[in-house]
């Protein structure tokens, strides 16, 4: 409901009356400057000092003595009003009779001060403060406006009571008057804010707010535990676990490097596909770390996926029924275990305003004077039907307003803009909130921009009007939104939950896709880039393709905790999530009862508001009849009395009839004049609108909170078999790959050994055939050297991957039988040696020395090649370590 014409039904602005007090003594009312002598000023300062020290009784006694001796002093009357006001504020019980007596005295003496000094702008501020204390907001606003309208006010220094403090820079009359006027505008804006806060006040909802805050604390604790449980299934380990995993990865760098080299250089595409394809009845007995439990879990998952064509499932936290779709589970919980709002209560849930219906652009402070002139010029230049605008003028878009550089206003406008963005984002901004906010803004703009101009430019229907407010008014609007939407109604809590929820959403479990082959005999792992692909069903993924990149090796070795730990985590998660699910469901039950209670209360408010609107309709109908037919008007009181008798004659026992009788009876008792009846009706309509405003905030806050709890319940009751199947398959595939790498290394070592032995046998054969005296030359020098070279060659062969048995065979072939001084030649085998034979042996030794030189060169080249290979492997290790460190 939007009552933009509210002021049209209200009486006109009242002027300050100067007659409520008895006439002063025969002396002429004097201004503080003429009536206050120096001794009187000193006495006033003494009383003010006593009051400042908190000695209320002594201050009141001194002030009463002063006013009895100087009844015609405006300053003295203002001083005793200040004393009564401070005493009233010090009494915390707002219903205390003593408090009301002091407020009444403060109002009386502040009025006397105004009568005695009508050109003072300090005394109206004092009276406005007293009225604000007494929750007379309209009167306080009126006092501020009257004070601001004084053209030539007295110097505030002459009647200053400490309400405004002046700095040495404010030494001129103009600067002091300017400061008081600024304070008056702040006070007026505050009074308007309190007026609207009073309008939306509903103490009957205090218990609902307390319940909401208690539920929020419990929910935060549960969500924290939920995050910890989910952490176990996500490969984002804690810092301590990360250090252990990093250490494990570092120890496996050599294995990873060998596996990556084998994957990239040795494996065919078919072999890679075969590795990533595992039979559903795979024998896990080879991998004893898995055991029987792993086979049972895999069999359960495979059976479900075959039947449901999906790896995901959801279980009811109340009865344990399983659903393949989590949304179906939530609907089941709502209908079978929770319940829903009745049609009547559902009808009072407010509509949520989208961004498209609220003009929120680049908000900046507007130069009000220039903007008013712009509006007036546009209005004068438009055609005769300018007052019947059927839409917003194209020439008054946001970018066309005359903006100004006001840093403080700009900050406050941006803060209001941010709050509205948040409320709209969490779906907590209803039409009633927009209308109340517009009413508040237009109340602030009253007397600054004519209502006619606002209506002409449609500014009375858009939040852009906030750009015209000055600093005190913006502050009051911001505080109203914060207190009545963010804090008072619990939307701040909803926003906190919303942000926390979004933060947890970032913790998504990344699942690789697992599909079946055509005959459902094999499971095939596909590494997808996005979680969106991971949500495909089994059937949808059958024909998906996959690049067999070497980052699969990284994936195989990352997060390689023992499978026993993974199985335990899976079992613990299933158990913990069931308990958390029940706790979250209990919270939802409490939130639902709270929502029901608020909706029931709003339903009652709307029915009562309708009856008050009917009363208003009776009065408006009489107004229309008076305009059409002159003479013999009927009073509102008589018309309401007539309606009362009609209801009584109907003898209806329905609840609405009884409520209407109560309302009419209360009007007839409290008011008789048409104007009083009109004001009473309008006051109740405004109050009920304010209560609906607050109810809407609570309903949307409760809905937002419930949606977040439902989201958490959906999360905690939803499972994905891939969380455990993928680690099982990774462990199996990793073991298969390592076995293949070892077999390939053994095969290559055997081939290298055979090549080496073949080369040595060929050399030996050539040596035997060539012979010669030069071979014998230098034989003694080279024997030990040759022995060392052969041993070193055998060791280098071992470094390339040869086994110990292979190395022994190499040594047996490379190292000839030892002989020399420790092992004399067997004469039975060698016999006598002739000179020709010695020369031939010398030539043979020379030839062999040359061969050894060539062999040494070959060995150096082999060593350089091995060093280069080790360097490449080391660089690969360093790169892998850098990747791990970055991760």
């Amino acid at each position: 409901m939007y009552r933009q014409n509210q002021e049209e039904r209200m009486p006109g602005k009242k002027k300050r009356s100067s007659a409520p007090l008895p006439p002063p003594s025969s002396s002429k009312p004097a201004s503080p400057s003429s009536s206050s002598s120096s001794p009187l000023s000193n006495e006033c300062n003494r009383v003010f000092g006593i009051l400042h020290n908190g000695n209320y009784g002594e201050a009141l006694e001194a002030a009463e003595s002063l006013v009895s001796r100087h009844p015609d002093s405006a300053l003295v009357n203002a001083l005793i009003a200040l004393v009564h006001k401070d005493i009233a504020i010090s009494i915390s019980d707002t219903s205390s009779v003593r408090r009301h007596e002091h407020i009444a005295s403060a109002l009386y003496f502040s009025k006397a001060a105004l009568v005695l000094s009508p050109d003072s702008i300090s005394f109206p501020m004092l009276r406005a403060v007293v009225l604000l204390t007494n929750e007379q907001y309209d009167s306080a606003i009126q006092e501020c406006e009257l004070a601001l309208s004084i053209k030539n006010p007295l110097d505030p220094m002459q009647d200053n009571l400490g309400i405004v403090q002046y700095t040495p820079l404010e030494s001129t009359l103009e600067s002091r008057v300017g400061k008081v006027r600024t304070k008056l505008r702040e006070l007026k804006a505050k009074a308007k804010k309190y007026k609207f806060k009073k309008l939306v006040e509903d103490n009957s909802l205090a218990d609902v707010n307390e319940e909401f805050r208690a539920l929020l604390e419990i929910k935060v604790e549960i969500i924290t535990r939920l995050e910890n449980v989910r952490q176990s299934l996500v490969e984002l380990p804690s810092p301590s676990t990360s250090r252990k995993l990093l250490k494990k990865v570092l120890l496996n760098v050599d294995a990873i490097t060998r596996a990556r080299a084998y994957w990239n250089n040795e494996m065919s595409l078919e072999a890679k596909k075969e590795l990533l394809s595992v039979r559903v009845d795979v024998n896990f007995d080879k991998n004893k770390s898995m055991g029987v439990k792993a086979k049972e879990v895999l069999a359960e998952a495979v059976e479900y996926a075959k039947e449901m064509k999906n790896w995901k499932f959801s279980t009811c936290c109340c009865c344990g029924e399983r659903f393949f779709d989590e949304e179906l589970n939530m609907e089941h919980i709502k209908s079978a275990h929770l319940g829903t709002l009745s049609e009547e209560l559902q009808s009072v849930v407010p509509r949520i305003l989208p961004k498209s219906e609220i003009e929120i652009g680049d908000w900046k402070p507007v130069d009000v004077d220039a903007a008013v002139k712009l509006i007036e010029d546009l209005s004068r230049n438009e055609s005769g039907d300018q007052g019947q605008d059927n839409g917003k003028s194209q020439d008054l878009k946001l970018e066309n307003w005359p903006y100004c550089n006001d840093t403080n206003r700009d900050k406050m406008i941006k803060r209001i803009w941010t709050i509205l963005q948040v409320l709209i984002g969490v779906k907590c901004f209803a039409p009633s909130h927009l209308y109340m906010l517009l009413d508040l803004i237009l109340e602030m703009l009253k007397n600054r921009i004519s209502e006619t101009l606002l209506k002409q430019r449609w500014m009375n229907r858009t939040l852009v009007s906030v750009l015209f407010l000055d600093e005190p008014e913006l502050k009051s609007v911001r505080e109203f939104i914060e207190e009545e939407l963010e804090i008072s109604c619990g939307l701040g809590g909803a926003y906190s939950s919303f942000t926390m929820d979004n933060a947890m959403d970032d913790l998504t479990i990344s699942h690789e896709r697992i599909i079946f082959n055509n005959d459902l005999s094999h499971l095939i792992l596909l590494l997808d880039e996005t979680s969106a692909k991971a949500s495909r069903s089994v059937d949808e993924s059958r024909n998906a393709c996959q690049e067999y990149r070497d980052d699969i090796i990284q994936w195989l070795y990352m997060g390689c905790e023992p499978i026993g730990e993974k199985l335990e985590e899976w079992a613990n998660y299933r158990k913990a999530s069931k308990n958390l699910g029940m706790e979250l469901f209990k919270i939802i039950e409490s939130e639902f009862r709270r929502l029901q209670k608020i909706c029931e209360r709003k339903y009652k408010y709307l029915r009562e508001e309708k009856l008050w609107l009917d009363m208003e309709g009776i009065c408006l109908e009489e107004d229309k009849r008076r305009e059409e037919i002159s003479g013999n008007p009927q009073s509102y009181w008589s018309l309401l009395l007539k309606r009362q008798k009609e209801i009584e004659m109907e003898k209806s026992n329905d609840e609405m009839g009884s409520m209407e009788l109560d309302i009419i009876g209360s009007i007839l008792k409290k008011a008789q004049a048409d104007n009083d009846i009109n004001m009473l009706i309008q006051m109740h309509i405004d109050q009920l609108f304010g209560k609906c405003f607050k109810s809407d905030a609570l309903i949307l806050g409760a809905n937002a909170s419930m949606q977040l709890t439902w989201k958490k319940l959906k999360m905690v009751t939803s499972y994905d078999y891939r969380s455990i199947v993928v680690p099982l398959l990774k462990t199996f595939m990793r073991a298969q790959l390592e076995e293949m790498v070892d077999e390939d290394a053994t095969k290559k070592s055997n081939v290298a050994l055979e090549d080496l032995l073949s080369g040595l046998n060929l050399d030996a054969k050539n040596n035997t055939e060539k012979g010669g005296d030069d071979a014998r030359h230098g034989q003694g020098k080279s024997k030990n050297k040759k022995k060392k070279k052969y041993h070193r060659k055998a060791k280098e062969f071992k470094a390339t991957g040869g086994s110990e048995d292979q190395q022994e065979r190499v040594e047996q072939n490379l190292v000839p039988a030892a002989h020399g001084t420790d092992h004399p030649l067997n004469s039975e085998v060698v016999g006598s040696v002739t000179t020709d034979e010695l020369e031939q042996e010398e030539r043979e030794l020379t030839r062999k020395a040359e061969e050894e030189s060539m062999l040494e060169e070959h060995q150096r080249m082999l060593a350089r090649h091995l060093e280069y290979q080790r360097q490449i492997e080391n660089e690969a290790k360093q790169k892998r370590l850098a990747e791990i460190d970055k991760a």
Side-chain angles (χ1 to χ4, degrees):
M1 183 182 302
Y2 182 47
R3 290 179 297 282
Q4 191 60 43
N5 297 324
Q6 169 182 331
E7 294 298 324
E8 295 174 3
R9 300 192 297 270
M10 300 298 287
K13 185 189 286 187
K14 297 179 182 178
K15 297 198 176 189
R16 182 181 292 145
S17 170
S18 58
L21 296 171
S25 60
S26 57
S27 62
K28 177 183 176 182
S31 66
S33 59
S34 60
S35 65
S36 300
S37 63
S38 182
L40 180 59
S41 298
N42 292 335
E43 287 191 70
C44 289
N45 288 335
R46 186 179 70 85
V47 174
F48 183 75
I50 296 171
L51 180 65
H52 183 70
N53 291 330
N55 300 322
Y56 297 122
E58 184 181 350
L60 181 59
E61 184 179 347
E64 287 175 342
S65 173
L66 263 179
V67 81
S68 66
R69 289 182 282 121
H70 304 278
D72 300 333
S73 169
L75 184 61
V76 170
N77 279 275
L79 179 61
I80 193 170
L82 179 66
V83 173
H84 280 292
K85 186 266 296 182
D86 284 1
I87 294 174
I89 292 175
S90 68
I91 301 172
S92 58
D93 184 5
T94 56
S95 62
S96 169
V97 175
R98 180 166 165 261
R99 187 179 191 273
H100 286 292
E101 288 176 348
H102 282 292
I103 288 178
S105 297
L107 289 172
Y108 177 85
F109 286 110
S110 63
K111 185 67 175 179
L114 287 175
V115 172
L116 293 168
S117 183
D119 292 331
S120 169
I121 61 171
S122 296
F123 296 157
M125 179 181 290
L126 171 62
R127 181 167 174 79
V129 170
V130 177
L131 290 166
L132 203 60
T133 304
N134 202 37
E135 298 183 356
Q136 294 176 255
Y137 305 121
D138 286 323
S139 298
I141 294 168
Q142 184 180 342
E143 285 296 341
C144 293
E145 289 175 348
L146 289 172
L148 289 168
S149 66
I150 298 175
K151 293 183 178 180
N152 298 306
L154 296 173
D155 189 346
M157 283 292 287
Q158 297 181 13
D159 48 19
N160 185 30
L161 296 172
I163 299 177
V164 179
Q165 302 293 328
Y166 301 104
T167 65
L169 295 176
E170 294 158 338
S171 57
T172 64
L173 172 62
E174 184 180 359
S175 62
R176 290 192 292 270
V177 170
K179 184 161 189 175
V180 175
R181 282 179 172 159
T182 299
K183 293 292 183 183
L184 282 167
R185 282 191 289 269
E186 291 175 359
L187 190 59
K188 183 175 74 168
K190 185 181 293 185
K192 290 180 178 181
K193 181 193 77 172
Y194 285 142
K195 174 185 175 181
F196 276 74
K197 282 178 64 67
K198 183 70 175 179
L199 192 65
V200 302
E201 185 178 33
D202 189 357
N203 294 326
S204 63
L205 297 173
D207 58 329
V208 177
N209 286 330
E210 287 299 322
E211 184 180 354
F212 173 79
R213 279 186 276 271
L215 283 174
L216 186 60
E217 291 178 4
I218 298 172
K219 187 157 64 174
V220 168
E221 187 268 331
I222 292 176
I223 290 175
T224 302
R225 284 193 283 131
L226 169 61
E227 185 180 357
N228 293 334
V229 171
R230 291 187 70 228
Q231 190 82 33
S232 64
L233 289 183
V234 185
E235 293 187 3
L236 292 175
S238 63
S240 59
T241 309
S242 297
R243 286 190 292 271
K244 294 179 182 178
L245 290 178
L246 179 60
K247 185 176 180 181
K248 189 171 184 179
V249 169
L250 291 176
L251 294 174
N252 288 333
V253 165
D254 184 59
I256 296 172
T257 303
R258 292 172 61 206
R260 180 180 281 113
Y262 178 73
W263 176 274
N264 289 331
N265 304 322
E266 305 298 334
M267 290 188 74
S268 65
L269 181 61
E270 289 301 318
K272 293 176 181 179
K273 289 181 179 180
E274 186 177 349
L275 179 66
L276 296 178
S277 177
V278 181
R279 289 190 58 83
V280 295
D281 57 350
V282 61
N283 183 9
F284 285 109
D285 292 342
K286 293 181 180 179
N287 196 323
K288 297 180 180 179
S289 64
M290 298 191 199
V292 179
K293 184 63 178 175
K295 295 182 67 176
E296 292 176 352
V297 170
L298 183 62
E300 175 189 325
V302 168
E303 182 181 358
Y304 175 83
K306 283 182 177 180
E307 179 183 357
M308 306 307 299
K309 305 293 187 285
N310 205 317
W311 295 102
K312 293 181 179 181
F313 65 96
S314 183
T315 58
C316 174
C317 58
C318 299
C319 64
E321 186 175 350
R322 179 185 286 201
F323 299 86
F324 74 92
D325 183 81
E326 55 191 14
E327 295 298 337
L328 291 178
N329 185 24
M330 296 300 103
E331 291 300 322
H332 160 78
I333 294 174
K334 288 178 184 177
S335 59
H337 304 292
L338 182 66
T340 56
L341 292 174
S342 65
E343 289 186 10
E344 286 182 346
L345 297 184
Q346 188 64 42
S347 67
V348 305
V349 175
R351 183 173 68 91
I352 299 168
L353 283 180
K355 278 187 179 181
S356 59
E357 294 188 25
I358 302 172
E359 191 171 355
I360 297 185
D362 186 15
W363 283 9
K364 294 177 285 187
V366 167
D367 184 331
V368 178
D369 294 334
V372 170
K373 186 176 184 303
L374 174 64
I375 295 173
E376 291 173 345
D377 292 343
L378 288 172
S379 299
R380 281 193 299 267
N381 295 333
E382 287 180 351
S383 60
D385 61 347
Q386 60 187 357
Q388 307 295 326
D389 278 352
N390 294 320
K392 297 176 184 177
S393 299
Q394 294 298 316
D395 51 357
L396 278 182
K397 291 182 178 179
L398 277 176
E399 61 268 23
N400 294 329
W401 286 112
Y403 296 108
C404 63
N405 295 322
D406 189 324
T407 304
N408 292 337
R409 285 177 64 200
D410 186 63
K411 287 180 180 177
M412 291 186 182
I413 288 172
K414 291 296 190 292
R415 171 60 181 159
I416 293 171
W417 182 90
T418 301
I419 298 173
L420 291 175
Q421 290 278 66
V422 169
L423 294 175
I424 294 169
V426 297
K427 299 181 179 180
C428 289
F429 199 66
S432 61
H433 302 151
L434 173 63
Y435 302 149
M436 184 67 75
L437 193 55
L438 282 171
D439 280 342
L440 177 58
I441 294 170
L442 295 177
E443 177 74 20
M444 298 287 185
L445 287 175
K446 195 185 297 182
N447 299 330
R448 294 177 57 201
I449 302 177
S450 71
E451 190 172 351
T452 303
L453 289 178
L454 290 175
K455 287 183 178 179
Q456 282 180 344
R457 312 319 308 177
W458 276 58
M459 285 183 57
N460 60 337
R461 301 189 188 183
T462 172
L463 289 175
V464 172
S465 51
V466 77
L467 308 182
F468 288 74
L469 300 181
D470 60 20
E471 189 175 337
E473 294 163 345
L474 286 169
K475 181 181 178 183
S476 292
V477 170
R478 185 205 71 202
E479 290 173 351
F480 178 81
I481 298 174
E482 289 175 340
E483 294 165 5
E484 297 308 321
L485 290 179
E486 276 200 313
I487 300 174
S488 179
C489 299
L491 298 189
Y495 174 55
S496 299
S497 297
F498 179 81
T499 52
M500 179 172 57
D501 181 77
N502 283 346
M504 280 194 63
D505 282 349
D506 293 337
L507 186 66
T508 54
I509 300 178
S510 176
H511 294 302
E512 298 79 359
R513 287 167 49 219
I514 312 172
I515 64 173
F516 289 93
N517 66 345
N518 291 331
D519 62 2
L520 305 181
S521 63
H522 285 72
L523 292 173
I524 303 172
L525 267 166
L526 301 176
L527 274 67
D528 276 334
E529 298 292 339
T530 62
S531 59
K533 293 181 183 178
S535 64
R536 297 177 186 168
S537 66
V538 173
D539 281 342
E540 290 174 325
S541 303
R542 285 235 172 114
N543 298 320
C545 61
Q546 165 69 21
E547 293 182 11
Y548 292 89
R549 306 174 303 272
D550 65 355
D551 54 6
I552 291 179
I553 303 301
Q554 175 184 343
W555 168 77
L556 276 176
Y557 281 87
M558 286 303 294
C560 53
E561 302 93 333
I563 196 59
E565 292 182 10
K566 278 292 183 182
L567 289 169
E568 185 178 358
E569 288 169 359
W570 171 253
N572 291 340
Y573 176 73
R574 295 281 299 270
K575 181 179 179 180
S577 62
K578 182 179 179 181
N579 296 332
L580 286 172
M582 278 305 301
E583 291 185 56
L584 287 170
F585 178 71
K586 289 177 182 177
I587 293 240
I588 289 177
E589 283 185 313
S590 299
E591 289 178 327
F592 181 70
R593 287 193 299 268
R594 174 174 172 264
L595 178 63
Q596 275 185 316
K597 190 183 298 184
I598 303 168
C599 289
E600 288 168 357
R601 201 158 295 178
K602 183 187 174 183
Y603 185 74
K604 177 184 175 184
Y605 292 154
L606 289 175
R607 296 174 73 189
E608 188 177 349
E609 184 184 43
K610 181 183 180 302
L611 293 174
W612 282 101
L613 288 170
D614 290 343
M615 300 300 105
E616 183 186 46
I618 293 173
C619 300
L620 292 175
E621 191 174 332
E622 172 59 20
D623 291 341
K624 184 178 180 181
R625 193 185 70 82
R626 290 175 185 178
E627 291 177 2
E628 295 175 352
I629 305 172
S630 60
N632 195 25
Q634 298 183 64
S635 66
Y636 295 164
W637 195 90
S638 63
L639 292 171
L640 293 175
L641 181 62
K642 179 182 177 182
R643 175 57 184 162
Q644 184 184 47
K645 290 179 179 179
E646 289 175 356
I647 299 172
E648 291 173 346
M649 288 178 64
E650 292 173 1
K651 295 182 179 179
S652 176
N653 294 323
D654 68 301
E655 186 180 357
M656 288 294 285
S658 299
M659 289 175 63
E660 188 173 2
L661 282 175
D662 292 340
I663 288 173
I664 294 175
S666 67
I667 295 174
L668 296 177
K669 287 179 182 178
K670 295 178 180 177
Q672 289 191 345
D674 286 359
N675 191 52
D676 293 338
I677 290 174
N678 185 56
M679 291 183 65
L680 183 62
I681 291 173
Q682 191 59 51
M683 179 189 73
H684 280 279
I685 291 175
D686 289 343
Q687 286 178 349
L688 288 167
F689 178 69
K691 289 181 179 180
C692 288
F693 163 89
K694 199 151 193 174
S695 296
D696 284 349
L698 284 169
I699 290 171
L700 293 182
N703 255 335
S705 182
M706 276 189 69
Q707 290 306 312
L708 295 177
T709 315
W710 276 114
K711 195 172 183 179
K712 292 294 171 280
L713 181 62
K714 180 165 62 176
M715 182 189 302
V716 81
T717 56
S718 299
Y719 306 91
D720 194 322
Y721 275 120
R722 288 172 297 182
S723 300
I724 186 62
V725 172
V726 169
L728 283 173
L729 298 183
K730 282 175 67 174
T731 301
F732 179 78
M733 290 187 297
R734 191 165 58 243
Q736 292 287 97
L737 180 61
E738 289 175 352
E739 184 176 343
M740 294 168 68
V741 170
D742 289 342
E743 289 177 358
D744 181 70
T746 301
K747 181 180 177 181
K748 287 182 177 179
S749 298
N750 290 336
V751 170
L753 174 63
E754 291 175 3
D755 290 344
L756 183 61
L757 293 178
S758 297
L760 292 174
N761 290 335
L762 181 61
D763 288 345
K765 182 178 179 180
N766 291 334
N767 291 340
T768 303
E769 291 176 354
K770 189 172 184 181
D773 294 339
D774 56 340
R776 297 187 185 93
H777 182 69
Q779 182 178 7
K781 297 180 181 179
S782 62
K783 285 180 180 179
N784 290 335
K785 185 176 181 181
K786 285 167 61 180
K787 184 176 180 180
K788 291 179 182 179
K789 296 295 181 183
Y790 289 139
H791 277 292
R792 186 171 69 245
K793 191 169 184 180
K795 289 180 181 179
E796 288 176 353
F797 172 73
K798 183 180 180 181
T800 62
S803 65
E804 292 183 2
D805 292 340
Q806 293 167 336
Q807 180 190 8
E808 184 177 350
R809 287 165 54 199
V810 171
E811 289 179 353
Q812 289 174 355
N813 285 274
L814 290 177
V815 184
H819 61 277
T821 56
D822 294 334
H823 302 277
L825 296 174
N826 189 335
S827 58
E828 294 181 0
V829 178
V830 177
S832 59
V833 180
T834 64
T835 302
D836 292 339
E837 290 175 340
L838 290 175
E839 290 177 354
Q840 183 179 356
E841 182 177 356
E842 184 176 356
R843 287 193 298 272
E844 180 70 18
L845 289 176
T846 301
R847 184 185 61 79
K848 288 185 177 181
E850 293 175 351
E851 290 180 354
E852 284 181 5
S853 176
M854 294 175 62
L855 181 60
E856 287 178 2
E857 180 63 24
H858 176 72
Q859 288 172 341
R860 282 194 296 272
M861 292 175 63
L862 179 61
R864 284 197 297 271
H865 176 73
L866 292 174
E867 178 62 27
Y868 178 68
Q869 183 177 354
R870 279 194 294 269
Q871 182 180 352
I872 293 175
E873 292 179 354
N874 185 56
E875 288 176 356
K877 292 179 184 178
Q878 295 299 323
K879 182 179 179 181
R880 180 72 191 122
L881 289 174
E883 292 175 354
I884 295 172
D885 184 57
K886 183 178 180 180

